[in-house]
Amino acid sequence: MSEERDLNWYVVHTYSGHENKVKTTIENTVKNRGMEDIIQQVIVPTEEVVTTTKTGKEKISQRKVFPSYVIIKMEMTDESWYIVRNTKGVTGFVGPGSKPVSLTVDEVKAMGIELPESKIVSGEIDLHKGDTVKVISGAFVDNVGEVDDVNIEKREVKVYVNAFGRKALVTLGLENIEKV
């Protein structure tokens, strides 16, 4: 049995310099608890910066684009909120009061975060019920399934995949699949 996941991007505020520790801690906790389908991605956005040393040599280094922030793709549940909120180094979710506010896909892209882009998302492929697709990211990665329903407005597709030895209907974002 598979549940539909309402995955969104959230911004988490951390202590200065703790971004990578927070990322590693959350990823380890998710793996240990088997929650990869609920908390799917933890990102510390970085960019390459070229600096010149005293000797005149150019040095390429990574710089955090948003110091003290980590971006997480997750389903907001009591358990996922608790895990992230109580990770050492996290001061809280970004949002009014105690209510985290999710980012739109456009906001995530504007932050310079590269989302897995498939030909389907860019509009090059026509997708219909009965088409065969391959899952390219997420919990069901490398599964091949049959499309049951396409929702262009929500940018998601319902696909029958083989999960745990049986056929299960899962809802995936268009960025998570490619047509076979």
Side-chain angles (χ1 to χ4, degrees):
M1 296 290 291
S2 175
E3 302 173 29
E4 290 186 23
R5 297 273 174 223
D6 183 22
L7 297 167
N8 290 299
W9 291 92
Y10 295 91
V11 179
V12 175
H13 189 264
T14 68
Y15 292 129
S16 180
H18 284 70
E19 303 88 351
N20 291 328
K21 290 178 200 162
V22 165
K23 177 184 190 295
T24 304
T25 303
I26 292 173
E27 287 173 341
N28 289 339
T29 303
V30 165
K31 189 175 181 186
N32 291 339
R33 294 189 182 206
M35 295 177 60
E36 290 92 343
D37 55 336
I38 296 174
I39 300 176
Q40 287 191 347
Q41 225 173 338
V42 183
I43 298 173
V44 177
T46 58
E47 63 185 359
E48 285 189 354
V49 179
V50 179
T51 54
T52 307
T53 62
K54 290 178 184 177
T55 59
K57 291 186 178 179
E58 287 190 348
K59 180 181 163 191
I60 298 174
S61 59
Q62 294 289 322
R63 183 184 75 157
K64 292 177 182 74
V65 179
F66 305 106
S68 300
Y69 292 97
V70 175
I71 291 87
I72 303 177
K73 183 178 183 182
M74 61 184 271
E75 176 183 7
M76 188 56 68
T77 64
D78 289 344
E79 187 179 12
S80 64
W81 180 90
Y82 182 85
I83 286 170
V84 173
R85 184 63 189 86
N86 289 289
T87 297
K88 186 177 180 179
V90 170
T91 60
F93 281 92
V94 172
S98 61
K99 179 149 177 39
V101 175
S102 64
L103 299 172
T104 65
V105 172
D106 291 337
E107 288 171 328
V108 174
K109 286 181 181 175
M111 294 172 86
I113 298 171
E114 302 226 359
L115 300 176
E117 191 79 20
S118 74
K119 292 176 185 164
I120 294 170
V121 176
S122 59
E124 296 174 20
I125 292 184
D126 209 350
L127 205 57
H128 301 286
K129 183 174 181 165
D131 286 349
T132 302
V133 294
K134 180 178 180 181
V135 182
I136 56 172
S137 64
F140 296 97
V141 68
D142 294 332
N143 266 297
V144 175
E146 181 182 324
V147 174
D148 181 62
D149 185 45
V150 180
N151 186 330
I152 300 299
E153 286 97 45
K154 286 187 171 181
R155 300 174 63 81
E156 58 187 31
V157 61
K158 291 187 180 179
V159 178
Y160 281 106
V161 295
N162 189 0
F164 312 111
R166 56 171 45 154
K167 206 174 182 183
L169 185 63
V170 296
T171 302
L172 303 165
L174 290 177
E175 71 275 5
N176 298 108
I177 61 166
E178 66 183 20
K179 194 169 181 180
V180 178

